[in-house]
Amino acid sequence: MRRLGRLLSGAVAAPLLVWCAVAPATAGDGGRAATAEVAASAAQVPPGVTAGVAVFDRQTGTYTEQIAAGAQFRSASVVKLLLALDFLWNRGPDHSIPDADRARLEPMLRSSDDTAATHYWRTYGRAAIIDRMVGRLGLSDTAPPPAGYEEYWGYTALSARDTVTIYRYILDKAPAPVRDFVMSNLRQSTRCASDRFDQHFGIAGAFERPWAVKQGWSGDFPDGTCGSPARAASATADRATGAAPGARAAAAVDLVRPALHSTGTVGAGDRAIVAVLTLHPTGTSYGKAYTDIGRLTRSLNVPGAERPSGTWFGTWSEFVNVRRDPSTADVPLRQLPAGVEVLVECQTRGQVVSVPPYTNEWWAYLPQHGGYISNIYISSPDNKLPGVRECDTP
């Protein structure tokens, strides 16, 4: 019987693979300066998405991608890089980190812990932290949160090119203990963030390791479900990034539209620095934003990057469980963001799953999740996915 996914329409249907021309950002001189570069860019920005992109090749010392690279976005959790660097600044020749701070900094960098970020924001001067780091690193587009939002570190203004500057400092100028501490934690980025949002979008989904990432998200997204089959009690991404629910846009920085950012390094020796900052139409689901930033990131010219093998498919339904085996017998490994696109490596027959009046015995293996989902939740015209090989028999 044909699967349910083909017949669904509206909110549960998988988004179409349609691209549009890159439009320069409207905010800041970075948008104007990048206009000439857009025509030659390999980037494919999905419809409705506003993007600031910079890809820097450390081997050649040149940019391979720039789109509105100087446009300001609210930083969301990407500002945690500056919070960590400010704390580590001038801490002595050995840059030893007290145990209590290590216990905060590691989850802040690996799992985007917000309680730790708030601790450093309030303890070390709030906006003064941003002012110090702007001067120290020579940042041109970074600014503290606007008036009225001084408590919200996630409203710090940041651009793609300033993000590249931050990583260039960490990799090329920071004392070795600082560089090693920050980068080792970014390499250990957890799929499930502290607020139970899946943070392995963008760079982490587009490329094989080695990579190191610091992600950011801000908006009225549904509750996070990563890492547990139970729905979170309440954890909007606004609170997750130090944002104020219902905030208005201030100056050139949009504080309203959902934001999703992927930043970090890709390739052996951290060859490429990648910064992808995005805004999405109001009301965009987390799964849709996750999918769109993934498509944009996969389209970029990133030197030294290795692309994962497999085929990308859309999914439908909320709280789709990823299972260790092609069966519902085990406790789920995690749940997928609603409607997110997934990479399928292979498929195999397993337990029959029924969503009346439809049934399907085929399961897809998702290498980036280390488990299976029933094909009944993948948007495809047939039970068996076209063009996908069968998994090898153990």
PDB file of all heavy atoms in Angstrom, residues 4 10 52 66 89 101 103 134 173 252 303 330 366:
ATOM      1  N   LEU A   4       1.609   6.870   3.653  1.00  0.00           N
ATOM      2  CA  LEU A   4       0.878   8.052   4.052  1.00  0.00           C
ATOM      3  C   LEU A   4       1.594   9.325   3.630  1.00  0.00           C
ATOM      4  O   LEU A   4       0.969  10.311   3.268  1.00  0.00           O
ATOM      5  CB  LEU A   4       0.719   8.030   5.572  1.00  0.00           C
ATOM      6  CG  LEU A   4      -0.084   9.142   6.238  1.00  0.00           C
ATOM      7  CD1 LEU A   4      -1.492   9.145   5.699  1.00  0.00           C
ATOM      8  CD2 LEU A   4      -0.093   8.934   7.741  1.00  0.00           C
ATOM      9  N   GLY A  10      -0.093  20.267   3.290  1.00  0.00           N
ATOM     10  CA  GLY A  10      -0.103  21.267   4.353  1.00  0.00           C
ATOM     11  C   GLY A  10       1.100  21.164   5.233  1.00  0.00           C
ATOM     12  O   GLY A  10       2.214  20.929   4.788  1.00  0.00           O
ATOM     13  N   GLY A  52      23.415  35.667   6.385  1.00  0.00           N
ATOM     14  CA  GLY A  52      24.735  36.274   6.384  1.00  0.00           C
ATOM     15  C   GLY A  52      25.736  35.134   6.418  1.00  0.00           C
ATOM     16  O   GLY A  52      25.694  34.302   7.330  1.00  0.00           O
ATOM     17  N   GLN A  66      31.021  34.817   0.584  1.00  0.00           N
ATOM     18  CA  GLN A  66      30.579  35.944   1.391  1.00  0.00           C
ATOM     19  C   GLN A  66      29.221  36.400   0.879  1.00  0.00           C
ATOM     20  O   GLN A  66      29.085  36.748  -0.282  1.00  0.00           O
ATOM     21  CB  GLN A  66      31.567  37.113   1.323  1.00  0.00           C
ATOM     22  CG  GLN A  66      32.874  36.883   2.051  1.00  0.00           C
ATOM     23  CD  GLN A  66      33.652  38.175   2.226  1.00  0.00           C
ATOM     24  OE1 GLN A  66      33.424  38.932   3.169  1.00  0.00           O
ATOM     25  NE2 GLN A  66      34.593  38.422   1.328  1.00  0.00           N
ATOM     26  N   TRP A  89      40.637  35.567  29.310  1.00  0.00           N
ATOM     27  CA  TRP A  89      41.613  36.601  28.953  1.00  0.00           C
ATOM     28  C   TRP A  89      42.529  36.925  30.131  1.00  0.00           C
ATOM     29  O   TRP A  89      42.074  37.134  31.250  1.00  0.00           O
ATOM     30  CB  TRP A  89      40.884  37.865  28.513  1.00  0.00           C
ATOM     31  CG  TRP A  89      41.692  38.730  27.588  1.00  0.00           C
ATOM     32  CD1 TRP A  89      42.532  39.734  27.934  1.00  0.00           C
ATOM     33  CD2 TRP A  89      41.710  38.649  26.161  1.00  0.00           C
ATOM     34  NE1 TRP A  89      43.085  40.299  26.822  1.00  0.00           N
ATOM     35  CE2 TRP A  89      42.603  39.653  25.705  1.00  0.00           C
ATOM     36  CE3 TRP A  89      41.081  37.835  25.234  1.00  0.00           C
ATOM     37  CZ2 TRP A  89      42.865  39.858  24.356  1.00  0.00           C
ATOM     38  CZ3 TRP A  89      41.335  38.040  23.904  1.00  0.00           C
ATOM     39  CH2 TRP A  89      42.217  39.036  23.468  1.00  0.00           C
ATOM     40  N   ASP A 101      34.602  26.781  37.325  1.00  0.00           N
ATOM     41  CA  ASP A 101      34.396  27.394  36.019  1.00  0.00           C
ATOM     42  C   ASP A 101      34.486  26.380  34.889  1.00  0.00           C
ATOM     43  O   ASP A 101      33.758  26.477  33.894  1.00  0.00           O
ATOM     44  CB  ASP A 101      35.409  28.521  35.808  1.00  0.00           C
ATOM     45  CG  ASP A 101      35.076  29.739  36.647  1.00  0.00           C
ATOM     46  OD1 ASP A 101      34.037  30.368  36.395  1.00  0.00           O
ATOM     47  OD2 ASP A 101      35.828  30.032  37.593  1.00  0.00           O
ATOM     48  N   ALA A 103      33.433  23.448  35.108  1.00  0.00           N
ATOM     49  CA  ALA A 103      32.141  22.766  35.145  1.00  0.00           C
ATOM     50  C   ALA A 103      31.044  23.600  34.488  1.00  0.00           C
ATOM     51  O   ALA A 103      30.000  23.060  34.117  1.00  0.00           O
ATOM     52  CB  ALA A 103      31.762  22.446  36.588  1.00  0.00           C
ATOM     53  N   VAL A 134      35.121  43.534  21.657  1.00  0.00           N
ATOM     54  CA  VAL A 134      35.163  44.294  20.406  1.00  0.00           C
ATOM     55  C   VAL A 134      36.527  44.955  20.247  1.00  0.00           C
ATOM     56  O   VAL A 134      37.157  44.902  19.182  1.00  0.00           O
ATOM     57  CB  VAL A 134      34.042  45.355  20.369  1.00  0.00           C
ATOM     58  CG1 VAL A 134      34.298  46.378  19.269  1.00  0.00           C
ATOM     59  CG2 VAL A 134      32.687  44.682  20.144  1.00  0.00           C
ATOM     60  N   LYS A 173      45.868  33.213  17.236  1.00  0.00           N
ATOM     61  CA  LYS A 173      46.466  34.197  18.130  1.00  0.00           C
ATOM     62  C   LYS A 173      46.310  33.879  19.611  1.00  0.00           C
ATOM     63  O   LYS A 173      47.114  34.346  20.428  1.00  0.00           O
ATOM     64  CB  LYS A 173      45.881  35.586  17.852  1.00  0.00           C
ATOM     65  CG  LYS A 173      46.163  36.100  16.450  1.00  0.00           C
ATOM     66  CD  LYS A 173      45.554  37.478  16.244  1.00  0.00           C
ATOM     67  CE  LYS A 173      45.833  38.002  14.836  1.00  0.00           C
ATOM     68  NZ  LYS A 173      45.215  39.339  14.615  1.00  0.00           N
ATOM     69  N   ALA A 252      19.212  48.096  13.663  1.00  0.00           N
ATOM     70  CA  ALA A 252      19.358  47.271  12.460  1.00  0.00           C
ATOM     71  C   ALA A 252      19.250  45.790  12.755  1.00  0.00           C
ATOM     72  O   ALA A 252      19.332  44.983  11.844  1.00  0.00           O
ATOM     73  CB  ALA A 252      20.705  47.566  11.808  1.00  0.00           C
ATOM     74  N   PRO A 303      36.401  24.660   1.554  1.00  0.00           N
ATOM     75  CA  PRO A 303      37.644  23.911   1.295  1.00  0.00           C
ATOM     76  C   PRO A 303      37.943  22.907   2.403  1.00  0.00           C
ATOM     77  O   PRO A 303      37.777  23.200   3.594  1.00  0.00           O
ATOM     78  CB  PRO A 303      38.710  25.012   1.252  1.00  0.00           C
ATOM     79  CG  PRO A 303      37.962  26.257   0.907  1.00  0.00           C
ATOM     80  CD  PRO A 303      36.628  26.115   1.580  1.00  0.00           C
ATOM     81  N   ASP A 330      12.643  -1.268  21.470  1.00  0.00           N
ATOM     82  CA  ASP A 330      13.585  -0.586  22.345  1.00  0.00           C
ATOM     83  C   ASP A 330      13.119   0.826  22.681  1.00  0.00           C
ATOM     84  O   ASP A 330      12.331   1.437  21.967  1.00  0.00           O
ATOM     85  CB  ASP A 330      14.960  -0.502  21.675  1.00  0.00           C
ATOM     86  CG  ASP A 330      15.593  -1.872  21.493  1.00  0.00           C
ATOM     87  OD1 ASP A 330      15.278  -2.762  22.298  1.00  0.00           O
ATOM     88  OD2 ASP A 330      16.374  -2.044  20.546  1.00  0.00           O
ATOM     89  N   LEU A 366      19.620   6.114   9.650  1.00  0.00           N
ATOM     90  CA  LEU A 366      20.103   7.493   9.649  1.00  0.00           C
ATOM     91  C   LEU A 366      21.488   7.522  10.292  1.00  0.00           C
ATOM     92  O   LEU A 366      21.613   7.467  11.517  1.00  0.00           O
ATOM     93  CB  LEU A 366      19.153   8.401  10.439  1.00  0.00           C
ATOM     94  CG  LEU A 366      17.651   8.272  10.140  1.00  0.00           C
ATOM     95  CD1 LEU A 366      16.875   9.293  10.957  1.00  0.00           C
ATOM     96  CD2 LEU A 366      17.364   8.422   8.657  1.00  0.00           C
TER      97      LEU A 366
END
